[in-house]
Amino acid sequence: MLEMRPDCEKCGCDLPAEAPGAFICSFECTFCAECADVLDELCPNCGGELMDRPTRAKKHHAKNPPSTQRHFKG
């Protein structure tokens, strides 16, 4: 199951699990669409390809909650 990190590691904007617009690499480094575009869809941490992160419907959050740990390095 994906961790569903709550924020962009580059700019810190919120990325709710139920909303589209997040991009992840195979290590789940997470970026917003704007930052992924600036990064040319390559993860600055591992060099992996950034792909669209699937969404998680809110009805599943109680049993499978998204992460609340923020990763923005500011």
Side-chain angles (χ1 to χ4, degrees):
M1 178 172 50
L2 292 174
E3 188 177 345
M4 305 300 282
R5 295 178 181 177
D7 63 331
C8 174
E9 292 184 30
K10 184 168 174 44
C11 73
C13 75
D14 292 335
L15 296 171
E18 68 278 3
F23 287 76
I24 60 172
C25 71
S26 64
F27 291 99
E28 292 193 60
C29 300
T30 305
F31 301 91
C32 68
E34 288 182 19
C35 289
D37 189 44
V38 168
L39 295 167
D40 200 26
E41 280 78 38
L42 292 175
C43 179
N45 302 323
C46 68
E49 184 178 12
L50 293 172
M51 305 290 292
D52 284 315
R53 180 183 76 182
T55 59
R56 182 174 298 159
K58 270 198 166 223
K59 67 181 181 180
H60 299 295
H61 288 198
K63 187 174 181 181
N64 298 292
S67 175
T68 57
Q69 182 181 357
R70 297 188 70 86
H71 292 268
F72 176 57
K73 305 201 187 339

